[in-house]
């Protein structure tokens, strides 16, 4: 475990002079914006309160589409009241600093783009996108202006809205996110793999690194010789073999790191 100020001059030089860099982010990068993680400490994450098989699988959605739609409507409503935090802005700064920077996220909240990152690789989809459950094709969907913002209390009381239907086939709509047992979007994952194979530095920020295949990306980067830099307040399985484990909240660590790297020019 290292603090930013303890990074050795040799490592700092590598961080400053690298040209091909990737970052893999997870729910922890948005925690300081007020969005719960999935596997939070003391049951504070989504999976401490809800069963992932109910809410993040096709079978769970098909078993109770109204509950599934409500969960995502609630999270879309939460998103409207949050802002990117200093970690998102620090990653946008690093993206502008490095000549070849690929930001790969498991998050579906769009906060990296809102902080100014461009061309973000979204591995698990996006909360704002919707597709047809039957045809698997994207559908343009706009939340009705008079739709009540779903709250967690409404979710728990079972006050679920009707699920809108596909204008083409009449099938149910679903969020365009990746549930357990589903393939990741092929182009996005291919781009992420190329970046992992090619990068000199791989930042791994705010992810438990437990969910595959996203969790394989830092392993790939390491096999191809990249320096692995983890930013997380908690130890993960990856901490054992990361070259640098910066233990702290991303909103504190990343701005300091970005300043050390990009602030000297
Ligand atoms: C901070 C912080 C701060 C806190 N600063 N850090 C056995 C059974 C069934 C399936 C499998 C199995 N073994 C493997 C699988 C495959 C499965 C998988 O990996 N399961 C494991 C859990 C075991 N994977 C899949 O199914 C994937 N698809 C697949 O493999 O396809 C191939 C295939 C298809 C068909 C058949 C067979 C194979 C798909 C995975 C989809 C994941 N989907 C979700 C939901 C997305 C939609 C939504 O948002 O609702 O993605 S689940 C959830 O986990 C979400 C996240 O993107 C993902 C990763 O979580 P993340 O981001 O790491 O968050 P947390 O909460 O885990 O961690 C937060 C971290 O932040 C912690 O470390 C904190 O310490 C830290 N933190 N505050 C910095 N301030």
């Amino acid at each position: 475990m290292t603090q930013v100020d303890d990074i050795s001059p040799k490592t700092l030089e590598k961080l400053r002079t690298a040209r091909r860099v990737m970052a893999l982010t997870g729910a922890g990068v948005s925690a300081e914006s007020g969005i719960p993680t999935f596997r939070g400490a003391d049951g504070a994450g989504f999976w401490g309160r809800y069963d992932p098989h109910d809410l993040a699988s096709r079978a769970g959605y098909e078993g109770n589409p109204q509950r599934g739609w409500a969960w995502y409507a609630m999270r879309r409503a939460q998103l409207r009241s949050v802002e990117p935090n200093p970690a998102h802005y620090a990653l946008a700064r690093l993206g502008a600093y490095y000549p070849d920077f690929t930001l790969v996220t498991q998050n579906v909240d769009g906060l990296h783009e809102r902080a100014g990152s461009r061309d973000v690789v979204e591995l698990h989809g996006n909360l704002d996108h919707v597709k047809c459950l039957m045809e698997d094709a994207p559908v343009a969907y706009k939340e009705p202006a008079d739709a009540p913002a779903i709250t967690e209390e409404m979710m728990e009381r079972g006050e679920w809205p009707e699920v809108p239907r596909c204008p083409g086939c009449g099938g149910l709509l679903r969020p365009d996110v990746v549930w357990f047992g589903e393939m990741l979007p092929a182009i996005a994952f291919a781009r992420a793999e190329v970046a992992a194979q090619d990068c000199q530095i791989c930042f791994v920020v705010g992810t438990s690194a437990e969910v595959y295949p996203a969790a394989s990306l830092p392993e790939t980067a390491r096999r191809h010789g990249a320096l692995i830099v983890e930013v997380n307040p908690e130890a993960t399985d990856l901490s054992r073999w990361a070259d640098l484990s910066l233990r702290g909240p991303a909103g504190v660590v990343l701005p300091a790191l970005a300043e050390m790297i990009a602030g000297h020019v």
Side-chain angles (χ1 to χ4, degrees):
M1 182 172 80
T2 314
Q3 302 300 314
V4 172
D5 290 339
D6 300 331
I7 296 175
S8 73
K10 197 169 151 210
T11 302
L12 186 55
E13 186 60 13
K14 280 188 190 167
L15 293 172
R16 285 177 172 164
T17 56
R19 300 188 64 78
R20 299 181 309 283
V21 174
M22 80 171 272
L24 172 68
T25 66
V29 83
S30 296
E32 290 155 85
S33 292
I35 301 180
T37 61
F38 294 92
R39 297 161 190 79
D42 305 325
F46 282 132
W47 298 158
R49 283 170 286 151
Y50 302 108
D51 185 342
H53 298 289
D54 286 344
L55 296 178
S57 78
R58 187 179 178 103
Y61 194 79
E62 285 175 341
N64 193 338
Q66 274 180 275
R67 178 189 58 195
W69 183 265
W71 193 55
Y72 286 96
M74 176 194 88
R75 288 172 58 198
R76 281 197 297 273
Q78 279 177 352
L79 256 191
R80 288 196 283 275
S81 64
V82 305
E83 298 294 335
N85 69 60
H88 297 105
Y89 289 109
L91 283 163
R93 185 177 184 194
L94 290 173
Y97 173 78
Y98 288 117
D100 180 350
F101 183 79
T102 308
L103 179 50
V104 179
T105 189
Q106 299 166 85
N107 297 346
V108 296
D109 57 30
L111 289 178
H112 285 305
E113 286 87 349
R114 281 172 58 188
S117 286
R118 294 285 157 256
D119 211 14
V120 177
V121 179
E122 293 182 319
L123 292 181
H124 292 165
N126 189 299
L127 266 186
D128 273 335
H129 300 165
V130 158
K131 62 182 180 179
C132 173
L133 183 65
M134 306 310 294
E135 300 169 315
D136 204 39
V139 170
Y141 172 76
K142 200 168 179 313
E143 206 101 55
D146 58 352
I150 312 285
T151 61
E152 205 137 342
E153 293 70 35
M154 289 163 79
M155 268 265 323
E156 275 154 16
R157 285 199 299 267
E159 291 172 27
W160 303 316
E162 276 308 310
V163 182
R165 290 189 172 266
C166 172
C169 75
L172 293 171
L173 295 185
R174 58 161 283 182
D176 195 352
V177 298
V178 181
W179 289 326
F180 287 112
E182 296 186 321
M183 304 298 285
L184 274 59
I187 293 175
F189 192 67
R191 280 189 62 201
E193 279 224 300
V194 168
Q197 288 165 9
D198 236 32
C199 67
Q200 296 160 297
I201 311 281
C202 176
F203 295 103
V204 186
V205 185
T207 175
S208 58
E210 285 181 17
V211 175
Y212 283 82
S216 69
L217 294 165
E219 297 167 6
T220 301
R222 186 188 189 217
R223 265 200 322 278
H224 285 77
L227 187 88
I228 311 295
V229 181
E230 182 184 47
V231 178
N232 198 313
E234 307 290 335
T236 68
D237 282 353
L238 191 143
S239 313
R240 283 185 282 113
W241 51 267
D243 296 285
L244 200 55
S245 231
L246 299 170
R247 204 63 64 73
V252 175
V253 173
L254 276 182
L257 190 62
E259 179 57 26
M260 284 180 92
I261 293 171
H264 75 292
V265 284

